[in-house]
Amino acid sequence: MNSPGPKRRFFSTGTAVVLGLGLVLLLGWFAYQPMIPPVWLHDLAADIALRAAADPDAPLPRDSREASPRGLADSPYICVAKIVQKPWDHIVAVTSDEDLRAHPVLTAATWPKNNLEAVITEMARDDRYQILVLLKDNTVIDAEMFYTFWADLESVARPEGYTPEQAIFTAASKNGVYVVSAADDAPPESCR
């Protein structure tokens, strides 16, 4: 007569480890997801880097990782209307030096769920924080941090912001930082 083997457990140690690892990965994804910049912000930063004029006084690269190829862009103009696919009628850049509580356009705009106070608190934490705000019919549809190590927006921070037709910028690399400027002299066909 055969004796039955040892009774099989419902959970083994290996199953518990795999399930625990899966749970950690799932929780990590949900915790990390709010920190991922939206596509339009990522694309804007990439377009700034692609179209930035080279710094004429830049030190020579120490190795190939520091060398940036130039001349890949078909135009020096950064056309925000082509990059941001959300419907918007104004984009406003605010630097850390500005007081959001006194901003004439953004304090008059409708913010979702008391979000203005949260943005003010966040910007006060670090002087490298800048913010880009997309407005549609005087309502904030998106407000995202744009860090100074991505690009300096001081030259394009004006209270009234820019309409899609006006939001044409250029960038230059200066002392290792991209500096964005308004392209007031851009030809009308530059963003078609």
Side-chain angles (χ1 to χ4, degrees), residues 41-77:
L41 192 66
H42 179 271
D43 290 349
L44 179 62
D47 210 44
I48 290 169
L50 174 68
R51 298 177 190 286
D55 186 349
D57 301 321
L60 292 174
R62 293 175 289 210
D63 62 34
S64 62
R65 293 173 296 171
E66 293 181 354
S68 297
R70 294 290 174 204
L72 300 175
D74 57 345
S75 163
Y77 299 110

Side-chain angles (χ1 to χ4, degrees), residues 21-172:
L21 183 59
L23 183 63
V24 166
L25 290 173
L26 185 66
L27 291 174
W29 171 251
F30 283 114
Y32 181 67
Q33 202 169 8
M35 293 183 256
I36 299 172
V39 172
W40 72 266
L41 192 66
H42 179 271
D43 290 349
L44 179 62
D47 210 44
I48 290 169
L50 174 68
R51 298 177 190 286
D55 186 349
D57 301 321
L60 292 174
R62 293 175 289 210
D63 62 34
S64 62
R65 293 173 296 171
E66 293 181 354
S68 297
R70 294 290 174 204
L72 300 175
D74 57 345
S75 163
Y77 299 110
I78 301 159
C79 303
V80 180
K82 282 183 164 182
I83 297 168
V84 180
Q85 299 303 313
K86 293 181 173 197
W88 59 282
D89 56 25
H90 277 82
I91 186 167
V92 179
V94 181
T95 66
S96 62
D97 297 337
E98 297 178 73
D99 182 11
L100 268 177
R101 287 183 180 89
H103 197 282
V105 172
L106 298 179
T107 54
T110 304
W111 287 75
K113 295 185 265 170
N114 215 6
N115 201 17
L116 177 59
E117 286 303 317
V119 169
I120 290 170
T121 302
E122 183 71 17
M123 283 191 69
R125 289 182 40 212
D126 195 325
D127 64 353
R128 295 173 295 175
Y129 290 173
Q130 305 168 106
I131 189 167
L132 282 174
V133 181
L134 295 174
L135 297 164
K136 176 75 175 158
D137 300 325
N138 204 33
T139 300
V140 175
I141 59 167
D142 205 353
E144 298 291 338
M145 292 294 170
F146 195 88
Y147 308 103
T148 55
F149 53 82
W150 288 344
D152 182 354
L153 301 177
E154 188 173 343
S155 295
V156 295
R158 64 182 193 187
E160 66 274 16
Y162 299 85
T163 64
E165 296 79 26
Q166 297 169 331
I168 303 171
F169 306 128
T170 58

Side-chain angles (χ1 to χ4, degrees), residues 163-184:
T163 64
E165 296 79 26
Q166 297 169 331
I168 303 171
F169 306 128
T170 58
S173 180
K174 296 179 183 172
N175 298 324
V177 175
Y178 295 123
V179 178
V180 179
S181 302
D184 297 326

